[in-house]
Amino acid sequence: MLPSAGLERLNAFSDGVFAVLITVLVLELRPPEIPTFAALLGLWPTWLSYGVSYLFIAIVWANHHHLLRHATEMSARLMWHNFAHLFSVSLLPLATAWMAVSELSPQPVAFYAGVFFLVNLTYIFLIRELIEPLSADRVPPSVRKVMRIRAFLTLCLFGLAAVVALKSPIIGLAVCCCCLAVYLRPEAPGSRSQG
């Protein structure tokens, strides 16, 4: 089935937003004022924050792209769920910059985890909009179940990461990394790969 012009525009717009977010993220990087490797190494919290966020945006984009391939028609609900998801992802450069300049302080890391809670929550809305109406031959019930479990489990873990980060920011960030590692493969386990 050929995608409608509305779906093509939605995909193109979404890809543009992700490209801008990665660009904004990278433009925030600043070299150290002192021209030494020691000064560069002293900025490890900044580099860690940006490196992790770049990878995370790539993971979110891959999953978003994979999910939108299931769209059969454009609807107002799909458009607004997509805008909500893109808005939540658009908070990542701010969260990353705050986490980096604070050198992984508790509240900025908790905010960062909170942003991923929102990203995951809006992703769940997209799953409901795009996957639930499909026939069982397109997305088997077992795959739907795995998608739901993965989404709700990681949603809870992002919430937990935000709370944990207030006491131990490194552990909170590590929980976020573990959650996003689950999404390295956009397809839910047991699903057939689509072209």
Side-chain angles (χ1 to χ4, degrees):
M1 172 182 273
L2 292 174
S4 70
L7 287 175
E8 287 178 4
R9 291 184 70 196
L10 182 76
N11 271 309
F13 177 80
S14 300
D15 286 349
V17 169
F18 279 104
V20 167
L21 291 175
I22 285 179
T23 302
V24 168
L25 191 71
V26 172
L27 288 176
E28 287 293 316
L29 287 174
R30 299 283 183 257
E33 293 182 21
I34 302 167
T36 65
F37 287 122
L40 189 64
L41 290 174
L43 295 175
W44 72 266
T46 299
W47 294 104
L48 175 66
S49 300
Y50 282 92
V52 165
S53 291
Y54 188 92
L55 175 63
F56 287 178
I57 289 175
I59 291 169
V60 173
W61 174 83
N63 282 272
H64 179 269
H65 175 71
H66 175 75
L67 195 58
L68 281 184
R69 291 188 305 172
H70 292 286
T72 56
E73 63 182 3
M74 182 64 171
S75 69
R77 277 180 23 153
L78 173 58
M79 180 184 68
W80 288 112
H81 286 315
N82 191 60
F83 271 123
H85 187 60
L86 294 175
F87 171 75
S88 63
V89 177
S90 76
L91 296 173
L92 277 172
L94 167 67
T96 302
W98 190 26
M99 189 170 65
V101 298
S102 75
E103 298 185 351
L104 306 178
S105 293
Q107 292 179 10
V109 176
F111 178 71
Y112 188 78
V115 167
F116 271 107
F117 180 90
L118 286 176
V119 169
N120 211 65
L121 181 63
T122 55
Y123 186 72
I124 289 170
F125 290 134
L126 280 175
I127 288 172
R128 290 178 126 176
E129 184 67 25
L130 293 169
I131 301 300
E132 296 304 325
L134 296 177
S135 63
D137 62 320
R138 287 209 47 207
V139 180
S142 60
V143 172
R144 293 170 201 251
K145 183 178 179 182
V146 169
M147 289 178 80
R148 274 190 232 109
I149 290 170
R150 178 172 73 170
F152 283 108
L153 179 63
T154 53
L155 182 70
C156 293
L157 287 173
F158 282 128
L160 177 65
V163 173
V164 167
L166 293 172
K167 291 291 181 193
S168 179
I170 297 296
I171 293 174
L173 185 58
V175 172
C176 288
C177 291
C178 291
C179 287
L180 284 159
V182 171
Y183 286 99
L184 280 170
R185 179 176 175 240
E187 304 87 15
S191 63
R192 293 181 296 251
S193 182
Q194 287 185 314

